[in-house]
Amino acid sequence: MAWLGLLLGFGALSGLSLEVGRFERQAAAEVASKLQGDQKRVSIRAELGLPPFEIHRASITASDFTTPGLPLFTEPQRSRRGKIHTLDLKLQNFELRGLKVESLEATIPHCRFDWDLAVQKRQFRLSQSGVGTGRVRIREADLAAWILRKFHEVKTVSVKVMQDIVWVEGSGEFLIAKTNFAVIAKLEAEDGVRIRLTQAKIYLDWQRADALTAQVLLDALNPVVDLRADLGLYDAVSIEGFRLRDGVLEAWGKTKIPDLPAPSSGSAPPFRSTPPGRG
């Protein structure tokens, strides 16, 4: 740390730029080590600010990877000496616990990190996260694949996303009976974390289902996605709205980097390798 402090103090810009570049590469390699996929790509860019120990803007960009859980947590017990005014996350074409995601972008302010650890060992550890905003996009075909994988009752399924509705059509076994079904519904985010079908019109073998049967089917499919239980996102995302158009489900809301869960004796790790249901 002493040598980097001297570089900062005396403004040796070329040397500082070299060290920053080295840190960016090593931090990117560390993040990449937590991701899977032969084609994965990860990069980190940091814009230093003044005074020392401050980063004006840091960007983490990754694509073409799979992961069984969040690769980034905060560790509140660590030093908060380092400051990141704005942290940008840009993730594309990745799979989280079996759910394929086209893109996820977030901008998170007021983050802190362990500066000494970063300088001495070139390891990047966040110690605090602010609350920012984020947006995620999921293609209809990938949502269909998720439904088929998660719900045992569903045997075949297709999904159409259009004009602020989802049209889910397929075949399944409900009430101990095989049937073709169609669900035309809007989406809502219960407590910001459970994506549910709502205001649904339900058809069985193209006959409008009675209220009791419709409720049984709806209960079987809801929630379609639980950000905590299914995806292991803890309190990283709180959905505030949806846009359903042109074959893409787009959701937005508040985002943050969650605290690293405390380990407990005999407990499962913070994430599972497959979603509940099939796998």
Side-chain angles (χ1 to χ4, degrees):
M1 178 184 172
W3 51 266
L4 184 53
L6 288 173
L7 288 177
L8 287 169
F10 291 104
L13 297 180
S14 61
L16 180 58
S17 177
L18 179 63
E19 292 304 327
V20 169
R22 185 178 300 170
F23 166 75
E24 290 173 339
R25 291 190 295 274
Q26 292 186 344
E30 183 180 5
V31 172
S33 70
K34 301 176 183 178
L35 307 176
Q36 303 166 3
D38 294 337
Q39 305 300 317
K40 65 184 176 184
R41 292 178 292 174
V42 180
S43 66
I44 293 178
R45 294 291 179 266
E47 301 175 15
L48 288 185
L50 291 175
F53 319 129
E54 292 194 7
I55 293 177
H56 174 66
R57 194 173 209 105
S59 300
I60 301 176
T61 303
S63 64
D64 303 303
F65 64 89
T66 64
T67 177
L70 284 174
L72 190 63
F73 289 93
T74 61
E75 300 178 31
Q77 77 280 6
R78 291 191 178 275
S79 167
R80 300 186 182 185
R81 190 179 186 190
K83 179 185 291 185
I84 302 176
H85 290 278
T86 304
L87 175 63
D88 292 324
L89 301 178
K90 299 179 181 180
L91 313 180
Q92 292 185 319
N93 190 31
F94 66 97
E95 184 176 304
L96 174 61
R97 286 197 184 180
L99 176 62
K100 291 184 178 180
V101 179
E102 181 183 276
S103 66
L104 186 154
E105 297 186 358
T107 298
I108 304 172
H110 311 310
C111 295
R112 297 276 185 166
F113 69 101
D114 190 328
W115 173 272
D116 293 340
L117 186 69
V119 171
Q120 294 172 1
K121 297 184 178 180
R122 296 190 180 92
Q123 294 180 4
F124 182 63
R125 296 290 188 276
L126 286 172
S127 50
Q128 176 180 294
S129 171
V131 177
T133 58
R135 188 173 294 266
V136 63
R137 289 169 55 89
I138 300 172
R139 293 179 290 262
E140 61 186 12
D142 296 328
L143 186 59
W146 168 263
I147 290 173
L148 188 61
R149 184 175 183 178
K150 177 179 177 180
F151 300 103
H152 284 297
E153 298 91 340
V154 178
K155 305 306 178 183
T156 65
V157 69
S158 65
V159 174
K160 297 296 181 184
V161 174
M162 54 188 177
Q163 303 302 317
D164 292 325
I165 65 167
V166 290
W167 184 311
V168 183
E169 185 176 344
S171 62
E173 295 180 1
F174 307 96
L175 293 177
I176 322 179
K178 295 181 180 179
T179 183
N180 297 317
F181 69 89
V183 180
I184 305 169
K186 293 187 175 183
L187 295 181
E188 67 175 8
E190 181 183 27
D191 298 328
V193 298
R194 287 177 290 278
I195 300 176
R196 301 180 62 88
L197 300 166
T198 186
Q199 301 180 42
K201 297 179 181 178
I202 297 177
Y203 298 85
L204 300 179
D205 291 325
W206 292 110
Q207 299 294 319
R208 187 71 179 266
D210 61 75
L212 178 60
T213 305
Q215 192 60 51
V216 169
L217 177 58
L218 204 57
D219 288 344
L221 294 176
N222 275 327
V224 178
V225 182
D226 187 315
L227 303 187
R228 292 177 180 168
D230 294 341
L231 302 183
L233 292 180
Y234 298 92
D235 58 347
V237 178
S238 179
I239 298 174
E240 297 180 326
F242 295 98
R243 184 179 186 272
L244 308 172
R245 299 289 174 84
D246 304 321
V248 176
L249 184 164
E250 188 172 26
W252 62 86
K254 297 178 181 177
T255 59
K256 62 178 290 189
I257 308 299
D259 292 346
L260 181 67
S264 58
S265 177
S267 65
F271 46 77
R272 295 175 297 200
S273 60
T274 58
R278 302 170 193 261

